[in-house]
Amino acid sequence: MLRVYNTLTGKKEEFCSLVPGKVSMYNCGPTVYDYFHAGNARNFIVFDVIRRYLKHKGYKVTFVQNITDIDDKIINRANKEKVSAESIANKYTDAFFEDLEILGITKPDICPKATEHILDIISLIKRLMDAGFAYQVDGDVFFEVGKFSDYGKLSKRSFDETEQCARVEIDKRKKSPRDFALWKSAKPDEPNWNSPWGKGRPGWHIECSAMSMKYLGETFDIHSGGQDLIFPHHENEIAQSEAATCKPFVKYWLHNGFLNINGEKMSKSLGNFFLVRDILKKFKPQVIRYFMMSAHYRSPLDFSDKSLAESGKALERIENCFDNIRRNIKDLDAPQKNTHIEWINKFEEAMDDDFNTASALGVVFDLITEINSLIAGESKDSAKLKLDVFNLETFCSILGILPSIEDKELDKDLLNLIEERTKARIKKDWQEADRIRVLLEERGVVLKDNPDGTTAWKRIKVI
Ligand code: AMP
Ligand code: ZN
């Protein structure tokens, strides 16, 4: 039974999706004004693994992650570089997808951009105006926090606390310092769109309410983000959405802990960040992923070259085991599922406990010990060993640390063969698919089919 920690209730709860067998999930995505840093990567990797695990549990997952492509930070950067906000947003959106791919993060099912949903945003603001939760001043529209009695329920902040936070920037036109912008009137030379309140652009919070509800419905299962988003971003999303619909917005709120440097949150504003692009010059993508999995997703995690190097060492033990398998086991056909579930139970016990990837890695290492000793013993071809290998691949694939070689390292004709096989599988021509699998295996390429497609890895030494 899967249990997840819900920030809303402050408890670990049994996970029970709104629609049996399906999970609707929204993760707050990047503001595209720069390359992403390791702190952002923690969020993207953690929720990629949670998504994979939910799929492994048999759920059909719809995963939405937005792109904030209009924002003060984007406009400031554009002004600095004397280019349009659009060109900054496009450049870093492309870079974002490139980095996701390098890190082996499965692309979200839907990646809505704020600028492509202006009409949805406007109609949600209109709904809030009609319901009396929003007011207009000089072309700006504000949400009236005092009208939403549940304000503070996610972040557990009292009225006074939320007011104190809001006093940082006082706008005298607001009825209360706690009120926040839904629509911002256009300033000279800023991108803007027509609206019933004049030209302007949307606020950040309303964008996520509008796009999540558009794609996942007015109530959905999981909303996630880093812990820094609990207040005010997610608190405001709840207020806007529930005020508009009178329905609960989200069932489970999941938040990842910070990636720190010397005990401080890694962030752009503090300047203590490392871009994923730069880290990749020294470490493999799987090392970064392993490192992120080495702690529970809600715990703080300290970033340093030393801890990445330690993750690299641990990952080597996993890679060595795969080498050992490739060198010693001839026939790697996947065994029948459900014949031996002892290891699956152990792995799931760890992951069912609020996605405890650190414990799950412990299970992976115990399994590796067993595989290595079975190979060293007399049972190189035993069914048990093959099942263990199958389980090891499955667990590493869920955790995103399966040693795979990048496509570009495969010869073109091998890639063509893989593509041919995919086509055959789509046509349900299993005979042809199997024929190609054998051909590939003869050339040292082992395939693993999973719900997101086929991963390939090449034996280092062909037997
Ligand atoms: P941003 O582009 O700043 O909105 O960040 C994208 C995602 O990364 C959000 O879910 C943030 O909460 C998350 N994030 C930013 N910095 C960190 C950090 N140091 N540790 C963990 N998550 C972070
Ligand atoms: Zn958001």
Side-chain angles (χ1 to χ4, degrees), residues 26 28 204 208 233 237:
Y26 184 94
C28 286
W204 171 38
C208 282
H233 185 51
E237 275 190 52

Side-chain angles (χ1 to χ4, degrees), residues 323-449:
D323 278 354
N324 201 11
I325 293 164
R326 284 166 219 172
R327 271 186 269 116
N328 288 288
I329 307 178
K330 291 204 178 71
D331 168 20
L332 269 173
D333 273 353
Q336 290 295 308
K337 276 188 188 175
N338 302 325
T339 47
H340 187 111
I341 56 166
E342 187 194 329
W343 285 106
I344 297 177
N345 284 345
K346 285 186 190 171
F347 181 81
E348 289 191 354
E349 203 180 306
M351 291 295 280
D352 279 352
D353 182 16
D354 192 27
F355 312 105
N356 194 335
T357 53
S359 300
L361 281 173
V363 176
V364 165
F365 285 113
D366 290 346
L367 177 56
I368 282 177
T369 307
E370 178 166 296
I371 290 175
N372 285 338
S373 76
L374 284 174
I375 292 177
E378 293 299 308
S379 29
K380 282 193 185 27
D381 285 314
S382 73
K384 178 167 173 47
L385 177 56
K386 282 181 189 161
L387 192 60
D388 279 1
V389 172
F390 178 74
N391 284 338
L392 182 67
E393 285 178 354
T394 305
F395 303 161
C396 287
S397 162
I398 292 168
L399 295 172
I401 50 171
L402 186 68
S404 60
I405 62 161
E406 286 177 33
D407 280 356
K408 57 178 177 279
E409 288 178 43
L410 282 178
D411 304 340
K412 207 159 175 230
D413 56 328
L414 289 178
L415 283 173
N416 287 342
L417 274 175
I418 294 174
E419 205 181 302
E420 284 303 309
R421 183 172 167 274
T422 305
K423 281 187 198 150
R425 278 166 55 82
I426 291 168
K427 281 193 262 163
K428 298 201 184 333
D429 184 349
W430 306 121
Q431 217 177 348
E432 176 65 359
D434 280 348
R435 189 187 70 80
I436 301 177
R437 174 188 277 276
V438 171
L439 268 181
L440 283 163
E441 283 184 359
E442 281 167 3
R443 300 184 56 184
V445 176
V446 179
L447 299 175
K448 183 160 175 58
D449 298 316

Side-chain angles (χ1 to χ4, degrees), residues 36-50:
F36 69 77
H37 61 66
N40 306 130
R42 183 173 193 197
N43 168 265
F44 305 143
I45 291 172
V46 158
F47 289 99
D48 178 50
V49 170
I50 289 178

Side-chain angles (χ1 to χ4, degrees), residues 128-189:
L128 288 168
M129 293 279 263
D130 292 346
F133 284 96
Y135 58 93
Q136 186 201 163
V137 195
D138 313 328
D140 284 350
V141 181
F142 296 101
F143 184 88
E144 192 168 348
V145 170
K147 292 252 171 92
F148 184 71
S149 57
D150 272 348
Y151 196 75
K153 70 176 171 180
L154 181 73
S155 57
K156 319 282 182 280
R157 288 177 197 228
S158 65
F159 183 98
D160 288 347
E161 283 167 328
T162 55
E163 193 175 64
Q164 249 161 25
C165 294
R167 284 203 177 275
V168 183
E169 39 103 26
I170 294 183
D171 179 343
K172 290 228 162 59
R173 300 168 312 149
K174 294 199 282 189
K175 291 189 187 173
S176 150
R178 301 199 302 165
D179 298 351
F180 57 87
L182 298 170
W183 186 261
K184 300 177 177 187
S185 60
K187 296 201 188 101
D189 299 329

Side-chain angles (χ1 to χ4, degrees), residues 278-342:
D278 293 330
I279 303 168
L280 285 168
K281 290 175 190 156
K282 274 203 204 159
F283 297 98
K284 292 195 283 197
Q286 274 103 339
V287 174
I288 300 179
R289 294 196 66 130
Y290 183 97
F291 169 66
M292 302 296 183
M293 293 298 103
S294 64
H296 187 271
Y297 77 94
R298 282 189 293 118
S299 309
L301 177 61
D302 255 306
F303 179 90
S304 66
D305 261 16
K306 189 168 162 267
S307 41
L308 276 173
E310 277 163 11
S311 292
K313 282 258 163 335
L315 189 73
E316 251 172 48
R317 279 179 61 201
I318 299 176
E319 289 170 342
N320 289 343
C321 180
F322 276 101
D323 278 354
N324 201 11
I325 293 164
R326 284 166 219 172
R327 271 186 269 116
N328 288 288
I329 307 178
K330 291 204 178 71
D331 168 20
L332 269 173
D333 273 353
Q336 290 295 308
K337 276 188 188 175
N338 302 325
T339 47
H340 187 111
I341 56 166
E342 187 194 329

Side-chain angles (χ1 to χ4, degrees), residues 87 144 223:
S87 74
E144 192 168 348
H223 194 317

Side-chain angles (χ1 to χ4, degrees), residues 70-330:
I70 182 68
D71 177 87
D72 288 339
K73 290 174 191 151
I74 299 173
I75 295 171
N76 291 343
R77 178 134 195 184
N79 290 342
K80 221 161 126 191
E81 295 187 15
K82 299 196 174 29
V83 293
S84 68
E86 195 185 0
S87 74
I88 291 289
N90 286 343
K91 172 175 171 185
Y92 292 108
T93 302
D94 290 348
F96 166 71
F97 286 117
E98 274 167 33
D99 288 356
L100 282 196
E101 199 179 329
I102 295 170
L103 285 175
I105 296 171
T106 313
K107 208 173 163 198
D109 298 302
I110 306 166
C111 296
K113 292 182 177 177
T115 57
E116 290 171 5
H117 292 78
I118 301 291
L119 291 179
D120 300 293
I121 294 169
I122 290 175
S123 78
L124 184 57
I125 299 175
K126 269 199 208 149
R127 235 169 128 180
L128 288 168
M129 293 279 263
D130 292 346
F133 284 96
Y135 58 93
Q136 186 201 163
V137 195
D138 313 328
D140 284 350
V141 181
F142 296 101
F143 184 88
E144 192 168 348
V145 170
K147 292 252 171 92
F148 184 71
S149 57
D150 272 348
Y151 196 75
K153 70 176 171 180
L154 181 73
S155 57
K156 319 282 182 280
R157 288 177 197 228
S158 65
F159 183 98
D160 288 347
E161 283 167 328
T162 55
E163 193 175 64
Q164 249 161 25
C165 294
R167 284 203 177 275
V168 183
E169 39 103 26
I170 294 183
D171 179 343
K172 290 228 162 59
R173 300 168 312 149
K174 294 199 282 189
K175 291 189 187 173
S176 150
R178 301 199 302 165
D179 298 351
F180 57 87
L182 298 170
W183 186 261
K184 300 177 177 187
S185 60
K187 296 201 188 101
D189 299 329
E190 275 187 8
N192 59 71
W193 290 264
N194 288 323
S195 83
W197 316 286
K199 285 185 185 301
R201 61 185 168 96
W204 171 38
H205 314 301
I206 195 74
E207 161 198 332
C208 282
S209 286
M211 298 195 290
S212 60
M213 292 197 290
K214 170 163 182 162
Y215 292 104
L216 299 173
E218 293 183 344
T219 304
F220 58 91
D221 291 303
I222 298 177
H223 194 317
S224 56
Q227 282 168 356
D228 52 337
L229 300 189
I230 298 174
F231 188 85
H233 185 51
H234 290 164
E235 194 70 65
N236 291 355
E237 275 190 52
I238 293 179
Q240 298 159 156
S241 311
E242 298 192 352
T245 66
C246 300
K247 290 179 193 159
F249 176 41
V250 167
K251 197 165 177 195
Y252 303 98
W253 284 90
L254 270 52
H255 293 99
N256 65 276
F258 293 146
L259 184 74
N260 292 333
I261 284 207
N262 302 322
E264 238 179 353
K265 181 194 169 202
M266 181 182 287
S267 77
K268 285 268 161 59
S269 49
L270 290 173
N272 60 351
F273 62 90
F274 286 90
L275 298 178
V276 166
R277 294 194 164 211
D278 293 330
I279 303 168
L280 285 168
K281 290 175 190 156
K282 274 203 204 159
F283 297 98
K284 292 195 283 197
Q286 274 103 339
V287 174
I288 300 179
R289 294 196 66 130
Y290 183 97
F291 169 66
M292 302 296 183
M293 293 298 103
S294 64
H296 187 271
Y297 77 94
R298 282 189 293 118
S299 309
L301 177 61
D302 255 306
F303 179 90
S304 66
D305 261 16
K306 189 168 162 267
S307 41
L308 276 173
E310 277 163 11
S311 292
K313 282 258 163 335
L315 189 73
E316 251 172 48
R317 279 179 61 201
I318 299 176
E319 289 170 342
N320 289 343
C321 180
F322 276 101
D323 278 354
N324 201 11
I325 293 164
R326 284 166 219 172
R327 271 186 269 116
N328 288 288
I329 307 178
K330 291 204 178 71

